Amino acid sequence: MKSIYFKAAFLSFCFPVLLMAQQTPTASKYNYYEAFSPDFYSKNGTDTRSADGQPGAKYWQNRADYQLTASLNESNSEITGTEILTYTNNSPEKLSFIWMNLEQNAFKSDSRNNAVIPIVGSRGGAKGEIFEGGFKIKSVKIISTIKGKSTESDVVFTISDSRMQLQLPKDLNGNGGTLKLKIAFSFISPKYGSDRTGILDTKNGKIFTIAQWYPRMCVYDDVRGWNTNPYIGAEFYLEYGDFDVNITAPSNHIVVCSGELQNSSEVYTTEQQQRWMQAKQSEKTVIIRSAAEVTNLSSRPTSKPTLTWKFKIKNARDVSWASSAAFIIDAARINLPSGKKSLAISAYPVESDRVKAWSRSTEYTKMCIENYSKRWFEYPYPAATNVAGNEGGMEYPGIVFCGYDSQGDDLWGVTDHEFGHSWFPMIVGSNERLYAWMDEGFNTFINSLSGEDFNNGEYKQPIPDMNQSAATLTRADLEPILTTPDGMKESNIGNLCYYKPGSGLVMLREQVLGKARFDYAFRTYIARWAFKHPQPDDFFRTMENVGGEDLNWFWRGWFLNNWRLDQGIAKVKYLKNDPSKGINITIDNLEKMAMPVVLDVKTKSGKTTRIKLPVEIWMRNTSWTFKPEINEEVVSITLDPDHVFPDANVTNNSWIAGKNEVEKDVIFDSYFGTFSSKTIPIKIVFSEESGLLMAQVTGQRAFPLEVSGKDRFKFDLGGIEMQFNETKTECTLIQGQSYLFTREK
C-alpha cells in the first residue's frame, strides 16, 4: 500500500478500512486480541495425542487386572482382603518402581487429608469419628513363575500418606511387560468416608457401602508419567482392567457389587433365583426380596455363618460393593441400542421403601442407562446397581451409592447424575484429581437433557436464566474452571466443577455450534476416548475439529479464565432521521468475554425481528454498528431476549422508544465535494457510503469519518480530524499540524 508524505512526514497510514468498526469506549475492559489470540494451544500434536484431538498412532496406556477377595466383619466394621494384581506396562519405558493409591489412609489421624480439613468442616474426612483408620498392609509380594513353578518374593515398599511406592527387584520392561503382585491388607471402614463410602444404621441392620477398599494402581501416562497426587478431597484417576471379585459376608447379608453375579444359586433362594430370571425379561420392576421378607429368615440361605459372593466385570477402572441384612432388592431389564441387555438393580432398606422414593429407583436406573446409551455411547456393563447409603451420591463402574432418604425429584436427580458418571469418568477415563470438570461438568451437561426424556418430562427442569446466574458463574473471587479441584475453595467446587462447565457446554451446543454439530462432536469425543485417558486439549481439539469451528475464544474465556460478559445497546439512530430509510444499532462489548449476539427488534406494526450476529464481530472490535432490514419506527430492542448468555449487567440490554434516546443522524449532503490545498499537492473527496461520511485522499482508499463535534469529524485509526467552516466551503485537516483545504467549484 502506498504512503503519502506532507512535506517531511505528514501522514503514513497503511491500513484496511473497517466500515462498521467503531472506536473503543473508554469504559470497556474488552481486549479483542487477548480474547481471540491464536496461541491457545501450547504444543503441537504428538505420536500419542493427535492435533485433531484423537488418540495418536502410537497412543498407549497401561493396564491393571485384579483378582480381589474381601471378608466383612460386621461387628467391628473391618474388611480383610487379598489382591492379586497383574500390571501390564504398555509404555515404551522401563519401570524400576511403581506407585499405588492407598486412599483409605486419608482416614488416618495424621493424614494430609485430615490436616487440610478446616475447623468449619468439610465433605472430606470422617466427620470427626475417632477410630483406627487407614490400610494395614500386611505383605506385598511379587509372584513369579520359574521353570513352571510359582514363587512369591517380598517387595520393598514405602508408604507415603495415601501412596505406596514399590521398588522392583528388576525393571519392568515396556511395550507389554507384565508384573504380578500379591498384597494382603485390612482396614476399618469409617461410618462416613468423605461422602464416598460408609456405614448406615437402619432398623434391620447396617448398610456397608464400600469403596476405595483395595490398593489401586496409579496411572502412568504419556503426559505426566506417574500421577501421584495425594488423596485430599479430589476424586480419582485409574487404569482399566478386568476384575474378579469374591466377597465374604454374614449369610443373612445380601451383597451387590460392580459387575455380574457369578454364583446366584449359592447366595439366593430358589424362589429368588426365579424372580431374577423374571426380572431379566421384564420392562417393569420385579421384587426379588420384598420389605416383608427382610425380617423373614427363610429369605436367606442360613446353613452357613457366611456366604461368598462372586462377581466379574470387564474393562472397568474400579470396583465397589455394598452389603447388608437390611436390603430390599428389586430389578428390571435394560434394553441397549445394539440389542444387548443389561440389568437395573436397586438395594435399599425399608426406611427408603416409599411410593415416591426408592420403590421407583430401578425405574429411574433403567431409564438413565437406556437414555444415555441412545444419546451418546452404549453402556458396557452387565448390570447397573443403585444402593441406598449414607452418601449424598457417589459413582463407581456398574454401581452407585445414593442418599437413602432421597425421594421424588431428588432421588431422580441423584440417580440420573450418578449413573451419568458411567460415561464420565467410567467410560471416558479422565483425570478427576486434576480436571474434575471433565467428569462432573460433562455429566451435569448430559443431565440437563435427560429430564426432558424421562416419562414425558416428569422431572423436566426449567431452562436456567443465565442472566440471573451470571453473577454467580463469574464472581470476581472465583477461580477459573481449569484449576485443580484441590486448589479451589471447597465452597466453589459445586460451581466450578459442575454448574459452570455444564452451563458452558449448553451454551456451546445451543448458541455456538448448534445441536447437530455439537452432538456429533461430543459423541465422537466419547467414542475416541472410551476406556482411555483424555486430557483437556484432547476434548478442546476434538470439539473444534469435528465441530468445524475455532473455539479458542470460548475455551479461553469460560474455562481458562474467569471472564465476565457484558453486552450493551449503546446507540440507536434512524438514517437521515427517517425510520423508513432504516436504522443503525450500535452494541458494545464492555467486559472481557466474547459471545455471539442475539437481539429482538419490535416495530410499531407489532412485528418482532430476531437478529443473530456471530462472535466474529468481536474479533477486532469492542463496539459494533449494524443496519438490520427494518424500515419502520422501532418500539423496543432487547439484547439476549431469552437470557441464554451470562450477561452480568442487564441494565443496558434493552432500548425502549420514548424512554431511551434516539441519536440524531447528521445529514452529510452539505459536506460532499472535492477539496484541494494550496500547500499540499493532494485532494480530498468527501462522499457517503453505507450511512457514513467517507474521505478519500488522492491515491488512497476511502476511510470513514466519525462525528466528533459541530462540523467536526475524526478518523482515530489515522489520527486525523477534519473541521469544516460554517458554510462548508473550507475544511481544515488536523494531524499534529493543520492544513487548509478549499472546496473546488
Side-chain angles (χ1 to χ4, degrees):
M1 187 178 288
K2 297 179 182 177
S3 295
I4 295 178
Y5 293 87
F6 295 165
K7 293 187 178 180
F10 168 65
L11 180 63
S12 175
F13 51 99
C14 300
F15 45 79
V17 178
L18 311 176
L19 296 181
M20 288 298 172
Q22 303 296 318
Q23 301 309 309
T24 306
T26 56
S28 178
K29 300 176 184 177
Y30 181 63
N31 182 321
Y32 53 78
Y33 176 77
E34 187 178 8
F36 284 89
S37 174
D39 58 355
F40 178 76
Y41 296 108
S42 60
K43 57 184 180 298
N44 296 327
T46 67
D47 288 344
T48 56
R49 296 174 190 270
S50 297
D52 68 350
Q54 63 182 312
K58 295 183 179 179
Y59 176 82
W60 56 266
Q61 70 186 49
N62 292 347
R63 180 179 178 88
D65 297 298
Y66 297 87
Q67 292 175 270
L68 300 169
T69 70
S71 179
L72 171 63
N73 186 327
E74 185 176 21
S75 63
N76 66 358
S77 304
E78 184 177 34
I79 287 90
T80 303
T82 61
E83 168 181 333
I84 296 177
L85 164 68
T86 302
Y87 183 61
T88 304
N89 178 21
N90 292 316
S91 82
E93 313 298 337
K94 290 183 177 181
L95 301 177
S96 60
F97 58 86
I98 64 171
W99 282 98
M100 301 188 76
N101 291 298
L102 301 178
E103 282 97 349
Q104 283 296 323
N105 284 3
F107 306 112
K108 293 172 67 73
S109 59
D110 61 349
S111 71
R112 291 193 196 186
N113 180 72
N114 277 335
V116 300
I117 292 175
I119 293 174
V120 295
S122 167
R123 181 185 180 186
K127 293 290 188 186
E129 180 188 1
I130 305 299
F131 71 111
E132 190 180 354
F135 278 116
K136 291 181 173 61
I137 302 298
K138 300 176 180 179
S139 63
V140 181
K141 298 179 181 293
I142 287 181
I143 301 175
S144 304
T145 302
I146 301 174
K147 295 182 179 181
K149 183 179 180 181
S150 179
T151 61
E152 298 179 2
S153 56
D154 291 333
V155 180
V156 176
F157 63 91
T158 301
I159 294 175
S160 175
D161 194 59
S162 61
R163 291 77 45 86
M164 177 170 66
Q165 185 188 59
L166 279 61
Q167 299 168 22
L168 305 180
K170 65 176 183 178
D171 289 349
L172 176 59
N173 290 330
N175 301 309
T178 61
L179 170 70
K180 183 170 282 191
L181 295 171
K182 183 177 181 181
I183 304 172
F185 62 90
S186 67
F187 67 93
I188 303 296
S189 175
K191 293 179 180 178
Y192 176 89
S194 296
D195 205 20
R196 296 192 169 109
T197 184
I199 305 169
L200 172 68
D201 288 315
T202 78
K203 67 180 182 181
N204 292 317
K206 296 177 180 178
I207 295 177
F208 294 84
T209 43
I210 305 301
Q212 296 88 54
W213 61 279
Y214 59 98
R216 307 186 294 179
M217 280 301 306
C218 294
V219 173
Y220 182 80
D221 63 24
D222 60 307
V223 178
R224 301 178 74 226
W226 285 109
N227 287 263
T228 57
N229 296 68
Y231 179 46
I232 56 173
E235 291 181 304
F236 314 110
Y237 186 32
L238 302 166
E239 296 288 17
Y240 287 91
D242 295 342
F243 290 80
D244 190 333
V245 185
N246 290 352
I247 300 166
T248 300
S251 60
N252 66 333
H253 278 220
I254 289 179
V255 175
V256 290
C257 181
S258 302
E260 186 172 27
L261 180 64
Q262 303 295 300
N263 63 333
S264 61
S265 63
E266 298 175 14
V267 294
Y268 281 110
T269 67
T270 301
E271 185 176 2
Q272 288 166 351
Q273 292 177 62
Q274 293 172 350
R275 294 172 183 174
W276 276 116
M277 295 304 296
Q278 181 185 352
K280 290 179 179 180
Q281 305 300 320
S282 176
E283 293 293 310
K284 301 293 184 181
T285 300
V286 174
I287 303 295
I288 310 300
R289 188 199 195 199
S290 70
E293 292 171 323
V294 168
T295 54
N296 187 339
L297 295 179
S298 66
S299 71
R300 300 295 307 121
T302 55
S303 59
K304 300 177 182 178
T306 63
L307 291 173
T308 297
W309 300 67
K310 300 178 180 181
F311 298 87
K312 287 186 178 181
I313 188 169
K314 293 183 178 296
N315 209 15
R317 50 174 256 164
D318 197 7
V319 64
S320 296
W321 52 278
S323 181
S324 180
F327 278 151
I328 298 167
I329 302 289
D330 62 41
R333 184 179 69 192
I334 295 172
N335 304 300
L336 300 175
S338 68
K340 293 180 179 179
K341 309 300 178 186
S342 184
L343 191 64
I345 304 168
S346 295
Y348 51 96
V350 294
E351 289 90 336
S352 305
D353 185 26
R354 296 186 296 278
V355 173
K356 294 183 178 181
W358 277 78
S359 62
R360 295 190 70 184
S361 166
T362 290
E363 176 192 358
Y364 297 160
T365 300
K366 170 182 166 65
M367 181 275 162
C368 294
I369 302 300
E370 291 179 347
N371 184 50
Y372 293 137
S373 292
K374 287 186 291 186
R375 273 194 178 271
W376 307 117
F377 188 92
E378 185 165 292
Y379 183 73
Y381 302 123
T385 303
N386 196 5
V387 182
N390 64 351
E391 299 81 8
M394 190 58 202
E395 72 279 358
Y396 301 100
I399 192 169
V400 303
F401 305 153
C402 295
Y404 79 98
D405 54 353
S406 295
Q407 57 183 314
D409 57 354
D410 288 337
L411 180 58
W412 155 256
V414 69
T415 302
D416 184 46
H417 181 79
E418 302 312 332
F419 277 117
H421 277 303
S422 299
W423 283 262
F424 310 101
M426 304 310 161
I427 293 173
V428 182
S430 57
N431 186 343
E432 299 176 274
R433 286 261 160 99
L434 297 184
Y435 311 114
W437 61 272
M438 292 184 72
D439 74 290
E440 298 294 359
F442 291 5
N443 189 23
T444 299
F445 161 69
I446 65 174
N447 297 160
S448 72
L449 303 176
S450 60
E452 301 177 16
D453 299 331
F454 175 66
N455 199 24
N456 298 313
E458 178 181 355
Y459 296 122
K460 181 180 178 180
Q461 297 297 309
I463 297 173
D465 185 322
M466 290 294 285
N467 289 178
Q468 292 182 359
S469 302
T472 299
L473 290 170
T474 58
R475 201 175 69 242
D477 62 345
L478 204 62
E479 305 94 342
I481 291 173
L482 272 166
T483 304
T484 174
D486 284 335
M488 297 173 181
K489 293 285 188 184
E490 189 171 348
S491 59
N492 291 343
I493 287 175
N495 190 344
L496 292 173
C497 298
Y498 295 72
Y499 184 43
K500 187 169 182 177
S503 298
L505 294 191
V506 171
M507 281 193 293
L508 190 60
R509 181 178 191 257
E510 305 285 343
Q511 311 305 326
V512 180
L513 289 178
K515 295 179 181 179
R517 279 201 295 166
F518 178 95
D519 288 358
Y520 179 57
F522 201 59
R523 282 193 294 267
T524 300
Y525 166 72
I526 297 171
R528 283 178 170 181
W529 291 98
F531 312 107
K532 297 182 177 69
H533 296 315
Q535 298 289 309
D537 272 12
D538 301 316
F539 171 69
F540 296 146
R541 290 173 183 267
T542 294
M543 296 305 293
E544 289 190 3
N545 279 266
V546 182
E549 291 287 344
D550 182 347
L551 298 169
N552 71 87
W553 59 273
F554 187 83
W555 312 132
R556 185 178 285 114
W558 197 251
F559 288 88
L560 186 60
N561 294 289
N562 180 36
W563 287 351
R564 280 202 147 180
L565 177 70
D566 180 12
Q567 299 173 347
I569 301 170
K571 292 187 289 187
V572 175
K573 178 176 69 176
Y574 293 117
L575 300 184
K576 306 295 184 183
N577 302 313
D578 182 353
S580 68
K581 289 183 168 57
I583 187 172
N584 281 355
I585 301 172
T586 300
I587 51 176
D588 290 340
N589 205 34
L590 299 168
E591 284 281 356
K592 295 179 73 67
M593 187 184 296
M595 283 287 171
V597 174
V598 179
L599 299 101
D600 276 353
V601 181
K602 185 177 181 180
T603 55
K604 197 170 184 178
S605 65
K607 180 181 178 182
T608 298
T609 301
R610 175 150 295 191
I611 298 162
K612 295 185 177 183
L613 302 175
V615 73
E616 282 80 5
I617 65 172
W618 306 122
M619 285 187 74
R620 53 192 177 192
N621 309 290
T622 57
S623 189
W624 186 253
T625 299
F626 64 98
K627 181 179 179 296
E629 294 182 4
I630 292 171
N631 297 97
E632 63 170 310
E633 190 174 340
V634 171
V635 175
S636 66
I637 303 170
T638 305
L639 188 62
D640 189 15
D642 298 328
H643 298 186
V644 295
F645 294 112
D647 195 314
N649 175 25
V650 298
T651 61
N652 55 13
N653 282 15
S654 62
W655 181 94
I656 300 173
K659 179 179 179 181
N660 298 99
E661 180 183 354
V662 177
E663 183 183 16
K664 289 294 182 182
D665 196 12
V666 178
I667 307 301
F668 298 129
D669 298 26
S670 60
Y671 301 104
F672 296 164
T674 302
F675 291 71
S676 57
S677 173
K678 293 180 180 180
T679 58
I680 303 171
I682 64 169
K683 295 182 179 183
I684 305 176
V685 178
F686 294 98
S687 62
E688 184 175 357
E689 182 179 332
S690 300
L692 298 172
L693 181 63
M694 306 295 292
Q696 184 169 20
V697 178
T698 303
Q700 297 295 314
R701 294 172 60 190
F703 55 90
L705 294 171
E706 181 182 355
V707 177
S708 60
K710 178 175 173 51
D711 294 324
R712 193 176 184 91
F713 301 85
K714 65 179 180 178
F715 178 53
D716 279 350
L717 194 58
I720 298 170
E721 286 196 285
M722 305 283 191
Q723 178 68 61
F724 289 85
N725 64 359
E726 187 75 26
T727 61
K728 316 300 189 291
T729 57
E730 293 179 346
C731 173
T732 301
L733 187 151
I734 306 165
Q735 194 199 37
Q737 301 181 55
S738 298
Y739 304 89
L740 181 65
F741 287 75
T742 304
R743 182 190 295 275
E744 294 183 352
K745 294 182 180 179

